Amino acid sequence: GTRLRPFTASFPKPLVPIGDKPILEILLRQLARDGFRDVTLTLGHLAELIRAFVAQHRKLSGLLDIDFIDEEEPTGTAGSLARVPNLDETFLVMNGDVLTDLDFAATVAAHKASGAALTIAANRQQVKIDLGVLECDASGRLVDYIEKPEHQFEVSMGVYVYEPRVLELIEPDTYLDFPTLVRRLLDRGEHINVYRNNAFWLDIGRPDDYARAQDIYAAEPERFGLSAA
């Protein structure tokens, strides 16, 4: 949550509110809506606040069976999975700070149909470069001048579906980020599926995107499976 400081200096990022609900609550309610029942939260920064929030929120406890894994030292966006018990069937993993209307059950179904070891939900993003871009040859002679070009990329939504065999590449209590895990799978020749979809997606990690998320949620809470109340 460093990009959202000072908000996250004394507050864990998954509890940052969107409207009147923490982003974590929105995600948990969406999971329950899509048929999930067992959830494990891997916690680090200010873990006790997230535990306290879930403990006092009886409606969430009625919707889902929620367990916790605490990390004293961060083990990365993939490393913490080594500490989660009973991952012996296909399972869903996501970041705790994503505002999306993605159908999580459909994501899992697409993964199973693909036969992949891992599926990454993808979103198409347009990136504008607010500069004049120079294209030159090897001698430094200008070939083209492009004013403020725009490029499209398929980017990870921070939502993944795993097969249990992927855990063989994750060592307990060892730091491992998700991009490194992906490279290990590619090196092993594993099939990694990209789940293209038309879902709305926004990472609330930057102040500008956080403000945009507030506006979008206020205008259309039902889009995310929730009412305005």
Side-chain angles (χ1 to χ4, degrees):
T2 54
R3 293 176 298 167
L4 273 185
R5 286 178 178 169
F7 306 113
T8 51
S10 57
F11 208 64
K13 191 176 174 186
L15 292 186
V16 169
I18 301 292
D20 63 347
K21 293 179 177 63
I23 185 69
L24 176 63
E25 179 179 349
I26 294 172
L27 286 170
L28 290 173
R29 288 182 177 276
Q30 289 174 324
L31 287 169
R33 173 202 65 193
D34 290 348
F36 293 81
R37 290 294 173 265
D38 298 311
V39 172
T40 299
L41 303 178
T42 61
L43 307 177
H45 179 60
L46 300 173
E48 65 279 6
L49 296 183
I50 294 179
R51 281 180 171 272
F53 170 77
V54 172
Q56 61 82 37
H57 206 311
R58 295 181 180 178
K59 287 186 178 179
L60 285 180
S61 301
L63 293 172
L64 299 161
D65 292 325
I66 302 175
D67 294 318
F68 305 91
I69 298 292
D70 290 295
E71 291 190 302
E72 292 186 8
E73 295 293 332
T75 56
T77 46
S80 63
L81 293 176
R83 300 191 61 195
V84 179
N86 303 318
L87 294 180
D88 50 8
E89 297 180 10
T90 303
F91 59 95
L92 182 78
V93 177
M94 72 178 67
N95 298 339
D97 60 352
V98 174
L99 183 65
T100 183
D101 59 3
L102 180 68
D103 184 326
F104 298 124
T107 306
V108 173
H111 163 81
K112 289 182 176 180
S114 74
L118 174 71
T119 288
I120 304 173
N123 185 265
R124 184 167 287 277
Q125 291 284 301
Q126 193 129 337
V127 179
K128 184 176 181 179
I129 301 175
D130 288 324
L131 300 166
V133 175
L134 307 179
E135 293 189 359
C136 309
D137 64 17
S139 69
R141 182 174 179 173
L142 186 69
V143 175
D144 198 3
Y145 184 100
I146 307 171
E147 180 66 16
K148 298 180 180 178
E150 294 187 5
H151 302 279
Q152 285 196 341
F153 299 96
E154 286 190 304
V155 301
S156 170
M157 297 172 68
V159 179
Y160 319 105
V161 188
Y162 285 71
E163 287 303 309
R165 67 179 183 271
V166 176
L167 299 174
E168 299 169 6
L169 299 177
I170 304 176
E171 299 177 31
D173 302 317
T174 302
Y175 185 90
L176 180 66
D177 60 22
F178 182 74
T180 302
L181 175 62
V182 168
R183 293 186 193 100
R184 289 182 181 181
L185 287 167
L186 291 174
D187 289 344
R188 198 163 79 165
E190 289 279 11
H191 174 195
I192 300 176
N193 182 48
V194 174
Y195 178 55
R196 296 184 173 102
N197 60 85
N198 295 318
F200 171 84
W201 172 81
L202 190 62
D203 179 346
I204 66 165
R206 296 180 299 182
D208 288 350
D209 288 334
Y210 179 53
R212 183 178 166 218
Q214 296 284 10
D215 293 340
I216 291 170
Y217 180 82
E220 299 181 86
E222 66 282 354
R223 182 178 190 175
F224 306 99
L226 303 169
S227 66

